[in-house]
Amino acid sequence: MRSLGPLESAVMNLLWEAADPMSVREVLDGLRDRGLAYTTVATVLENLHRKQWVDRDRIGRVWFYRPRLQASEHAALLMREALAASNSPRATFLKFVDEITDEEAEMLRELLGETPEER
């Protein structure tokens, strides 16, 4: 999956926060502070669909978009890509662990102590 640009990220964040699929108009309304044109948002959503970031359903004449991945799945994908791109995954992972908070470290310990079935 290809990475997201700034506007694509903003659109995905809206879709991830939404309880239901969103139309182009609803996404545009959610980004009203950016002063975007309807066609710009429609193009971004079409590009996200082509890149397989979103699925869409047509109801009447309107397309409704929803994310294919949840935000947590996207974050995990980014973490995997960072480790894979590193010349030293061990050093990269160690640096990451050194920088997490005490609460995050405790959560990691708990998760590592669970079996896959318990997660």
Side-chain angles (χ1 to χ4, degrees), residues 1-13 16 31 34 44 47-48 51 53 74 78:
M1 218 172 227
R2 297 166 60 190
S3 61
L4 299 171
L7 184 52
E8 291 172 325
S9 292
V11 169
M12 287 304 299
N13 285 333
W16 281 322
L31 299 171
R34 292 177 175 246
V44 169
N47 290 342
L48 288 168
K51 294 178 181 181
W53 280 95
H74 175 246
L78 291 175

Side-chain angles (χ1 to χ4, degrees), residues 2-67:
R2 297 166 60 190
S3 61
L4 299 171
L7 184 52
E8 291 172 325
S9 292
V11 169
M12 287 304 299
N13 285 333
L14 279 175
L15 293 174
W16 281 322
E17 292 170 3
D20 298 310
M22 297 178 75
S23 68
V24 174
R25 175 65 58 200
E26 290 168 329
V27 172
L28 178 63
D29 289 346
L31 299 171
R32 72 175 80 71
D33 60 323
R34 292 177 175 246
L36 300 169
Y38 181 94
T39 54
T40 300
V41 174
T43 299
V44 169
L45 284 163
E46 178 58 32
N47 290 342
L48 288 168
H49 180 258
R50 184 178 37 78
K51 294 178 181 181
Q52 300 183 351
W53 280 95
V54 299
D55 285 325
R56 66 184 183 184
D57 296 306
R58 190 172 189 154
I59 301 175
R61 295 175 48 197
V62 179
W63 287 107
F64 287 85
Y65 297 85
R66 66 184 178 288

